[in-house]
Amino acid sequence: MSKKYKVILIGAFGAAVVLIAIALAQWWRGSGQLRVVACDIGQGDAILIQTPTHDDILVDGGPDLSVLDCLGRYLPFYDRTIELVVLTHPHADHLVGLVPVLERYRVERVVFTDVTYSNAAYGEFRRLIAEQQIPAVTAEQGQEWPFGSGVVVRILYPFSGLSGQSLDNPNNGSIVFQLVYNQVKFLFVGDLEATGETQLLRTGVDLHSSVLKVGHHGSSTSSIDGFLAAVRPALALISVGQDNKFGHPSLRVINRLQNMGATVRRTDRDGDVVVWSDGITAWFK
């Protein structure tokens, strides 16, 4: 075979691979299924939500550049837009990876608490938002954003805006929201600890959700009995780093979840944890 025909063959093969990748991406996007990925990014949180209507939501960005690899695994190469970025709170293990995300992707909206916090990455995060003129919203209970096909992001906590406030424990200022897809609810709680969980319980808000992103990497400071009883998840995902110095996740928390019948997956052992939903039920990949 001549060199010319080899080049043509390689080019044709490459084009076929690209077309197949596009077709597969379009197939699942049009299949009526929603995908939630807890990215395996070490000790931190980075959650990618992909809706049936082609919208991408990124919740936190992890402690380093690893989130970019995760986005590369799940976003089609031609999709450089993230419709919503949620920063639950400004601790580095949730924040740092969002800076390169803002630099490399077109972000249409940011939701965060806008608390006062001394962190170089937080300053850069805010600078990029201003520089790129990204619409930014300070989270508070009652806000909702619809994404089509019955998908809604609904803020449950904090109860009112925290903009400009300095918190003794930013974990308890974490944004808590439900992702509703028709009959299925996912609950995302950032690093909310027992104090914040108790405040939520006292409001009587309906926390019941099919899927729970377990708070604070499965730490014993979160996931109190009453809170888990109110959520009653069938599936629980824990974003946590392998052999981390904090001892996360707590065996006590895992036992609580399993004793109530929840199936638990964790990134330190399972890699990326992927949950699918058709709006009626949810399941792990």
Side-chain angles (χ1 to χ4, degrees):
M1 183 182 295
S2 70
K3 183 176 180 181
K4 175 182 178 181
Y5 286 112
K6 284 183 179 179
V7 170
I8 293 173
L9 184 61
I10 291 171
F13 178 75
V17 169
V18 169
L19 290 173
I20 290 170
I22 293 174
L24 287 173
Q26 293 299 332
W27 171 81
W28 91 257
R29 291 278 185 132
S31 66
Q33 293 183 350
L34 177 143
R35 178 165 63 182
V36 174
V37 183
C39 299
D40 179 16
I41 45 78
Q43 182 66 14
D45 269 19
I47 315 291
L48 175 64
I49 301 165
Q50 297 177 286
T51 78
T53 53
H54 305 259
D55 292 313
D56 302 308
I57 303 166
L58 181 61
V59 186
D60 295 330
D64 52 32
L65 297 177
S66 300
V67 66
L68 297 178
D69 293 330
C70 185
L71 295 179
R73 288 192 292 274
Y74 295 98
L75 292 181
F77 71 90
Y78 54 83
D79 186 356
R80 306 300 296 177
T81 299
I82 297 175
E83 278 69 25
L84 176 63
V85 164
V86 179
L87 172 62
T88 60
H89 65 295
H91 280 161
D93 59 329
H94 292 246
L95 165 65
V96 172
L98 290 181
V99 172
V101 168
L102 292 182
E103 292 172 337
R104 291 165 172 80
Y105 288 83
R106 178 178 177 267
V107 173
E108 292 191 345
R109 177 184 289 125
V110 170
V111 176
F112 70 138
T113 57
D114 195 28
V115 295
T116 298
Y117 188 73
S118 180
N119 178 304
Y122 191 42
E124 183 64 6
F125 174 76
R126 294 166 65 103
R127 186 191 69 79
L128 287 167
I129 290 171
E131 180 181 274
Q132 298 177 17
Q133 299 182 341
I134 302 171
V137 179
T138 302
E140 60 180 282
Q141 189 181 74
Q143 294 166 329
E144 291 189 356
W145 291 276
F147 286 91
S149 295
V151 177
V152 178
V153 169
R154 180 176 298 149
I155 304 295
L156 304 182
Y157 185 90
F159 303 131
S160 58
L162 300 176
S163 182
Q165 296 186 35
S166 180
L167 305 180
D168 292 336
N169 183 359
N171 286 343
N172 279 321
S174 291
I175 294 173
V176 176
F177 71 94
Q178 278 181 326
L179 174 74
V180 181
Y181 180 29
N182 293 325
Q183 300 174 38
V184 178
K185 294 179 181 178
F186 296 72
L187 186 64
F188 299 87
V189 298
D191 277 359
L192 196 72
E193 297 185 3
T195 298
E197 291 174 349
T198 300
Q199 290 175 351
L200 262 175
L201 287 171
R202 287 173 178 167
T203 68
V205 64
D206 183 10
L207 296 171
H208 178 46
S209 302
S210 303
V211 184
L212 172 66
K213 197 294 295 184
V214 178
H216 202 188
H217 321 292
S219 167
S220 60
T221 62
S222 303
S223 302
I224 60 177
D225 288 322
F227 187 76
L228 294 184
V231 180
R232 305 191 311 280
L235 307 178
L237 54 93
I238 302 176
S239 184
V240 63
Q242 189 173 27
D243 300 323
N244 65 86
K245 65 181 180 181
F246 306 104
H248 299 158
S250 164
L251 182 59
R252 185 177 300 174
V253 169
I254 292 174
N255 286 338
R256 285 177 194 157
L257 289 162
Q258 292 177 336
N259 288 341
M260 65 175 52
T263 301
V264 180
R265 294 286 184 271
R266 39 194 283 192
T267 57
D268 61 332
R269 294 184 178 179
D270 301 309
D272 294 341
V273 176
V274 182
V275 184
W276 290 88
S277 177
D278 57 6
I280 300 172
T281 187
W283 62 93
F284 283 120
K285 177 182 175 181

